[in-house]
Amino acid sequence: MLRALQQFFDKRIAPLASSARASTESEHRLRLATAALFIETERADFRVTDAERRKLETAVRDTLELDDEETRELIALAEQEVDASVELFQFTRLIDQAFTPEQKVHLVERLWRVALADAQVDSLEEHLVRKIANLLHVSHRDYIAAKRRARMTARS
């Protein structure tokens, strides 16, 4: 799986400059971790609807600024990573260290959009998004504001 991940980033995302190798590897892990959190949210209630899947793809594509093919490849790799993982911390730690506070709040809002995609928020989804927000050190006020914005978007 690591070989597939490396090939994906070498082919699709990595910059041409070889001197940026360490930065590129860090960026790979960060993108994978971000996609993994979206997948965890999608799967939280043990039901994956078409609407949730579309929201997940949109969230990954828009958050990471990928094209459609890159998005599909990254999601496939992230699903493998999620299936092999036993905790959220390995994903949130990377994001917490790399994202600005504003980026973290924006990520939480997009997680809410995925959770709200099927028009039903299960208590497991709510718990998961709250847990992720806590691990990212997003304040309760920002968490609630992100949730409200996501709900407003879902209604329109």
Side-chain angles (χ1 to χ4, degrees):
M1 200 218 32
L2 291 176
R3 171 177 260 148
L5 179 62
Q6 188 62 47
Q7 287 173 345
F8 169 76
F9 284 109
D10 287 344
K11 179 178 166 188
R12 300 282 181 187
I13 297 171
L16 296 175
S18 61
S19 64
R21 190 64 161 167
S23 176
T24 301
E25 288 175 11
S26 178
E27 181 70 17
H28 295 178
R29 290 190 306 273
L30 184 59
R31 287 176 183 250
L32 184 64
T34 303
L37 291 182
F38 285 119
I39 290 165
E40 290 281 7
T41 302
E42 175 193 50
R43 294 178 176 181
D45 64 358
F46 303 103
R47 288 184 325 265
V48 177
T49 66
D50 291 337
E52 284 176 321
R53 188 58 175 198
R54 285 190 301 274
K55 278 290 186 197
L56 174 131
E57 290 171 358
T58 298
V60 170
R61 183 180 55 247
D62 294 350
T63 302
L64 301 175
E65 300 175 350
L66 303 173
D67 66 30
D68 290 341
E69 186 177 346
E70 291 168 336
T71 299
R72 283 189 299 277
E73 289 181 34
L74 181 60
I75 288 171
L77 292 169
E79 285 175 327
Q80 292 173 13
E81 189 69 22
V82 166
D83 290 342
S85 76
V86 293
E87 64 180 359
L88 288 173
F89 186 71
Q90 70 187 51
F91 304 127
T92 58
R93 179 178 43 89
L94 294 170
I95 294 167
D96 188 42
Q97 293 170 353
F99 278 26
T100 66
E102 294 80 20
Q103 289 172 314
K104 293 175 191 179
V105 172
H106 193 66
L107 175 62
V108 169
E109 181 179 339
R110 288 188 174 176
L111 291 171
W112 269 116
R113 289 180 187 175
V114 171
L116 289 162
D118 62 359
Q120 297 174 323
V121 178
D122 185 274
S123 62
L124 295 170
E125 291 171 318
E126 181 138 10
H127 174 74
L128 179 66
V129 177
R130 178 72 232 162
K131 183 175 182 177
I132 291 169
N134 284 339
L135 290 169
L136 296 177
H137 301 99
V138 171
S139 72
H140 185 69
R141 181 182 354 176
D142 288 337
Y143 166 80
I144 295 298
K147 183 177 179 180
R148 284 186 183 149
R149 285 191 302 274
R151 283 194 173 168
M152 297 292 271
T153 302
R155 290 182 190 146
S156 49

